[in-house]
Structures are given as structure tokens and as C-alpha cells.
């Protein structure tokens, strides 16, 4: 998978349906192990809740790991509908947990599906959505008098300056997609981009662009 959709920051949304509280935590994750640990933490935090229903989708190489759990709700009324929403929106590297505090009024299977779905959709609606892709991280060393030119080069070529350290020279870490990575290397070799040094650090999933 070259590109997928995720969230920039974790968000929380809450709805109340017939006195039952539905609290959706939408959390960015990078691995199944991280997701499972967060699920344990959330369940401890909301230990007094009736249900903590789960859905997640995580990129693992060229595959997507998916999981859903109804956590005691009638089968197919919570985790499944939540996972379906993540699938339909091409959302990956996301863990959705909807916590329900029972309000004493039964909602029926249709009511449960709608409530869990609406809770998740509410969280998605307030999240900052980003397009992600596989890319590379580099370290670049720059002279101070070239900094503004390099910033313009980065903006033009869809390169993100992640961090910078300032001493006698500037040492920055940048994220770049595969296509622009080749151009950067070519421009460095031909001195079209004037860097003191350019060093490959790692392959990683990077933010491609912000959708909303």
C-alpha cells in the first residue's frame, strides 16, 4: 500500500443515547503490539464502564492487520460496525475504542450499531486527517546563509523538516517520499541543492499531506 489515511493527533468524542454514554477514543498506532497495550490501558482507565469495544487497522508491510471486539455487546453490534467505518474511510494505523457507560435503557441491536457508529464518526469528524506514505528520513547539514533557500526547496519538493539543531552549522532531520528522495539525491550530487552533507537514516511511514 503506497498511500493511506490516518490521523495527525489522538482525539476523543462523546455522545449520550438514552442515558448511555459512548466515549470514543481515536488513537494513532504503529503496530499491533502498541494497539494491544493501549487497549489494556484504556480498559484500566474505564474499568467501571460496562463495555470497551475495539476496532483497529494497522499497516504491516504490504498487509493490513485488522481486529474488532464487541466486548460483551451482542455480536456484530459494536466492534464490527466500527471496523467497517475504518475500512470504508481507508483509515489505517488507527485504534478506535468506544467505552459505554450503560444508562439503564436497552437500545436494541439497531440502536447499538447506530450508537457505536455515531460515536466513532463523531471522533473522525473532529480529527485532523492526514495522508501517509512510505518514505525516508535523512539528516542534512546546512550553512546558515543557505537555510532560507533550502526551506524553499523543501516546500517546493514536498519535504518536511522534522527538527533542527543549531550550532556552527544547522543539522536537520527531514522526511521525504520515495519519488522526491531520488530527486534530492540527484540534486545533491549535481550541487543543485547546496548541502554540506546528506545522510540516509531510515525508511519510515511519513505524513504526505493534511486533508482536513
Amino acid at each position: 500500500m503506497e498511500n493511506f489515511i490516518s490521523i495527525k493527533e489522538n482525539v476523543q468524542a462523546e455522545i449520550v443515547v438514552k442515558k448511555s454514554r459512548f466515549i470514543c477514543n481515536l488513537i494513532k498506532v504503529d503496530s499491533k503490539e502498541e494497539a494491544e497495550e493501549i487497549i489494556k490501558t484504556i480498559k484500566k482507565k474505564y474499568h467501571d464502564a460496562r463495555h470497551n469495544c475495539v476496532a483497529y487497522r494497522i499497516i504491516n508491510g504490504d498487509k493490513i492487520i485488522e481486529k474488532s471486539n464487541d466486548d460483551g455487546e451482542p455480536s456484530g453490534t459494536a466492534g464490527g460496525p466500527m471496523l467497517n467505518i475504518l475500512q470504508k474511510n481507508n483509515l489505517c494505523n488507527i485504534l478506535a475504542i468506544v467505552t459505554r457507560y450503560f444508562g439503564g435503557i436497552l437500545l436494541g441491536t439497531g440502536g447499538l450499531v447506530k450508537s457505536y457508529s455515531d460515536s466513532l464518526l463523531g471522533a473522525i469528524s473532529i480529527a485532523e486527517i492526514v495522508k501517509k506514505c512510505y518514505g525516508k528520513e535523512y539528516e542534512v547539514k546546512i550553512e546558515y546563509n543557505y537555510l532560507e533557500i533550502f526551506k524553499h526547496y523543501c516546500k517546493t519538493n514536498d519535504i518536511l523538516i522534522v527538527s533542527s539543531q543549531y550550532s556552527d552549522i544547522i543539522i536537520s532531520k527531514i522526511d521525504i517520499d520515495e519519488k522526491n528522495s531520488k530527486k534530492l539525491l540527484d540534486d545533491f550530487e549535481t550541487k543543485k541543492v547546496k548541502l554540506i552533507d546528506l545522510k540516509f537514516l531510515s525508511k519510515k511511514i511519513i505524513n504526505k499531506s493534511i486533508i482536513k
Side-chain angles (χ1 to χ4, degrees), residues 17-35:
V17 181
K18 295 183 179 179
K19 299 184 179 180
S20 280
R21 291 174 62 205
F22 293 85
I23 306 166
C24 179
N25 281 282
L26 198 60
I27 302 165
K28 55 182 183 177
V29 291
D30 291 319
S31 68
K32 176 183 176 181
E33 292 74 20
E34 182 185 5

Side-chain angles (χ1 to χ4, degrees), residues 142-148 165-170 196:
I142 316 161
E143 296 283 1
Y144 276 87
N145 59 5
Y146 189 69
L147 178 59
E148 293 305 317
Q165 295 179 354
Y166 299 88
S167 55
D168 54 330
I169 60 171
I170 302 165
I196 299 170

Side-chain angles (χ1 to χ4, degrees), residues 36-49 52 97 99 101:
E36 293 294 344
E37 283 301 314
I38 292 172
I39 291 168
K40 291 177 185 177
T41 300
I42 293 290
K43 285 188 173 183
K44 286 180 181 178
K45 179 179 179 180
Y46 298 106
H47 63 90
D48 56 338
N52 288 283
I97 304 178
T99 299
Y101 283 92

